Amino acid sequence: MDWVAEFYSTTGGWWGRAEAEITERDHRRLRLLHEHAGERPLRVLELGSGYGTTAAVMARAGHAVTAVEVSDRVEFAGRFTRDVEPGALTVVRADFYEVDLPRDFDVVCYWNGFGVGCDADQRRLLTRIAGEWLRPGGTALIDVFNPFVWARWDGDEEHRLPDPAAGYDHELRERIRFDPVTCTAIDTWWPVADPERAISQVLRCYSPADLALLLTGTGLALAKIHVGEHAFAPAARPGPRDLLHDHHEYLAVCRSS
Ligand SMILES: C[S@@+](CC[C@H](N)C(=O)[O-])C[C@H]1O[C@@H](n2cnc3c(N)ncnc32)[C@H](O)[C@@H]1O
């Protein structure tokens, strides 16, 4: 997992000026929080909070948010603290495998990031969420990378041209590979001017059934999966077919026991 801070710091340097903005994606996440955990003021821990946009939207909605982020992306978070009640948003620069936090959260969320490292690493994190941070009966909202869509992207390449007016200063290339043995997506980026500087993120993908197995013994159980705009019981038959084609991640709604 030693690539993590470098990958997200470097890419944040490449496109953070353009993408560190509150968008509809952050407001959708707030709606998901309310749908699956309720609208009363909640104590929320956000893991891997990136630029801090979703944390700020949750805090502005009245929740008490602690956000943990290991990379330089955390430096953008100050932009979004306007309109946040004093004390409603705490941003901590730390590795969530190491950080020490009190056990008093109603919700732990991890948007668009779960799957770094091996299965034992995910289980260590899930066990920390259930055993150290969530109150009993609390909710974990975890975006999970969908293997069916990432596998279809195997071999895809993109060429991003610079657009300084929009905040994109670099000419970049991207190549996606999918390893069907380890069920991991390998997403590699490099500056066209300096291909030696290629960096990759390696993302373990889980089907809902495999996620349910991974959760066994961690203190979390899969209550629902939320795909696109719909939530399903994990045992729903037939399952949501758009998982085959349309969504590169789905939200796992988990409850702590
Ligand atoms: C794909 S980005 C998503 C960021 C943000 N959640 C969003 O949706 O915009 C994943 C984030 O998780 C962070 N991250 C990964 N492993 C971490 C760790 N062990 N501790 C803290 N942050 C971590 C990365 O630095 C990165 O900013």
Side-chain angles (χ1 to χ4, degrees):
M1 288 185 285
D2 43 352
W3 56 267
V4 167
E6 189 204 347
F7 181 90
Y8 294 106
S9 296
T10 303
T11 52
W14 285 341
W15 56 62
R17 199 164 69 80
E19 299 194 355
E21 275 191 19
I22 290 174
T23 66
E24 166 54 22
R25 186 170 79 148
D26 303 295
H27 294 292
R28 174 177 182 269
R29 290 170 175 176
L30 178 66
R31 291 195 297 275
L32 290 167
L33 173 75
H34 289 168
E35 177 173 343
H36 295 294
E39 295 193 24
R40 70 195 157 78
L42 298 162
R43 286 157 304 175
V44 179
L45 170 61
E46 184 183 353
L47 303 174
S49 50
Y51 306 118
T53 53
T54 308
V57 166
M58 294 190 292
R60 286 181 193 176
H63 305 295
V65 180
T66 301
V68 179
E69 169 57 49
V70 75
S71 76
D72 292 351
R73 291 188 182 200
V74 77
E75 289 166 11
F76 289 90
R79 289 186 182 185
F80 309 109
T81 45
R82 271 174 289 119
D83 312 327
V84 174
E85 290 289 314
L89 175 57
T90 306
V91 180
V92 182
R93 183 172 192 160
D95 181 335
F96 52 56
Y97 284 102
E98 310 287 337
V99 71
D100 205 11
L101 297 165
R103 180 177 191 171
D104 66 354
F105 295 99
D106 302 302
V107 177
V108 175
C109 48
Y110 190 2
W111 309 107
N112 182 238
F114 180 78
V116 167
C118 63
D119 289 352
D121 296 318
Q122 326 302 348
R123 288 174 59 80
R124 194 152 55 94
L125 180 61
L126 295 164
T127 303
R128 288 207 84 184
I129 292 172
E132 294 181 45
W133 300 325
L134 265 188
R135 65 163 173 80
T139 302
L141 300 175
I142 303 172
D143 278 331
V144 180
F145 294 117
N146 174 11
F148 305 108
V149 168
W150 282 93
R152 289 158 61 94
W153 289 347
D154 177 63
D156 282 6
E157 296 206 7
E158 268 209 47
H159 184 186
R160 302 256 179 115
L161 294 172
D163 181 0
Y168 294 100
D169 298 313
H170 302 268
E171 184 178 358
L172 300 167
R173 283 191 178 273
E174 178 191 23
R175 183 189 307 120
I176 295 175
R177 303 311 310 249
F178 186 82
D179 177 356
V181 174
T182 58
C183 204
T184 47
I186 302 122
D187 178 31
T188 302
W189 291 82
W190 65 96
V192 169
D194 192 1
E196 298 293 303
R197 284 185 57 212
I199 49 174
S200 301
Q201 56 176 340
V202 183
L203 305 170
R204 174 73 159 97
C205 306
Y206 296 93
S207 70
D210 289 342
L211 181 74
L213 283 176
L214 186 80
L215 288 165
T216 307
T218 62
L220 290 174
L222 187 59
K224 284 187 185 155
I225 60 169
H226 199 116
V227 182
E229 294 310 317
H230 303 284
F232 300 83
R237 297 287 181 275
R241 291 199 57 79
D242 46 355
L243 258 190
L244 280 176
H245 304 287
D246 299 337
H247 302 284
H248 75 287
E249 60 188 1
Y250 61 90
L251 182 69
V253 180
C254 306
R255 305 266 181 238
S256 77
S257 43

